[in-house]
Amino acid sequence: MPRPEQLRILCIEDEADFRTELVEELEALGYQAIGAESGEAGLACLDALPAESVSCVICDVMLPGFSGLEMVRLLRGHPAVAKAAPVLLLTALVGRDDMLSGLRAGADDYLLKPVDLTLLQVTLENRLQRLEDMRRAQTPAGLEVPRDLLKHLSRRETEVLTLLGKGKRSGEIARDLTISEHTVRQYTKDLYRKLRVTSRVDAARIAIGLNLV
């Protein structure tokens, strides 16, 4: 993984004291951290940054103006946010339906308030390592990606392939899609056959080649 000082994290949190604490903690870990008090302020920060220069966004669910769930969709389409950059939602809500709503909106994970700073550090390290692995991944010679490939995949197979492209494991895919791990493994096996690959790495590379992530 790149050194933390090379990685920029945007923190969108409306509680001033907690936002300051979060930014200071991230800076203490060596990251470049930017704080924003609302979704609109966060988008304004992104507008002033170079393309794909933000490696991660931490965003509160309950925000004035745009909600955290609305922000996930806006963040995913913003040019300053790196492709497949992890989006972590902060919340005091612990209901299953709330978590599923965030994951279905495109968030990668939840951090429950009050935030365990050790858990935050480990989560960031793991997520950012996956992002770096995907940045290095390129479609290898001989691994062709037919343009009409998606026509031959079901909607669910395309969803699983997209999540494989994001570096997610079977358990995470099962949680995101609300299906069993056994079902995920079956879809993955079918994808290997259709894509003519033998590993998750090659499947992820094809997902990247198809611009699914």
Side-chain angles (χ1 to χ4, degrees):
M1 187 177 79
R3 294 188 302 276
E5 63 268 20
Q6 298 174 323
L7 300 173
R8 180 179 288 128
I9 299 175
L10 174 62
C11 304
I12 305 175
E13 166 60 55
D14 61 322
E15 295 181 26
D17 290 344
F18 178 58
R19 182 175 67 250
T20 298
E21 179 185 0
L22 187 58
V23 168
E24 289 177 350
E25 180 64 25
L26 291 170
E27 289 176 340
L29 292 173
Y31 297 106
Q32 297 180 43
I34 303 171
E37 70 275 14
S38 66
E40 290 83 350
L43 293 173
C45 288
L46 292 174
D47 289 342
L49 293 173
E52 297 200 24
S53 62
V54 174
S55 299
C56 177
V57 180
I58 301 173
C59 183
D60 192 13
V61 171
M62 303 298 290
L63 289 171
F66 292 120
S67 71
L69 300 186
E70 291 173 316
M71 282 301 298
V72 173
R73 299 183 180 92
L74 294 171
L75 292 166
R76 289 295 183 206
H78 199 287
V81 179
K83 183 178 290 187
V87 176
L88 310 179
L89 291 178
L90 296 169
T91 184
L93 304 173
V94 294
R96 180 176 180 273
D97 290 343
D98 295 309
M99 296 186 72
L100 287 174
S101 295
L103 295 170
R104 286 169 177 158
D108 292 281
D109 213 339
Y110 268 86
L111 295 171
L112 298 180
K113 292 181 175 181
V115 175
D116 182 319
L117 296 179
T118 301
L119 178 60
L120 170 62
Q121 179 179 1
V122 173
T123 299
L124 283 173
E125 289 173 352
N126 289 341
R127 293 290 180 181
L128 291 171
Q129 181 60 60
R130 292 187 202 179
L131 176 62
E132 178 61 17
D133 290 344
M134 282 187 284
R135 280 174 168 168
R136 292 177 179 178
Q138 296 179 350
T139 303
L143 188 59
E144 299 180 358
V145 184
R147 292 185 178 180
D148 64 347
L149 178 61
L150 291 179
K151 296 179 181 179
H152 303 287
L153 302 181
S154 68
R155 178 183 61 83
R156 185 66 86 187
E157 286 172 338
T158 302
E159 290 173 341
V160 171
L161 181 59
T162 299
L163 294 173
L164 288 172
K166 292 182 177 182
K168 294 201 172 187
R169 301 183 179 90
S170 294
E172 294 174 304
I173 295 173
R175 183 185 66 180
D176 287 7
L177 299 180
T178 323
I179 57 179
S180 70
E181 287 192 52
H182 173 77
T183 302
V184 172
R185 287 192 289 270
Q186 185 59 53
Y187 277 120
T188 303
K189 181 180 179 180
D190 291 343
L191 282 169
Y192 286 178
R193 176 177 55 81
K194 291 184 178 182
L195 301 177
R196 297 181 181 180
V197 298
T198 58
S199 72
R200 285 172 172 261
V201 172
D202 283 346
R205 287 171 174 166
I206 287 180
I208 293 169
L210 292 170
N211 294 318
L212 293 177
V213 295

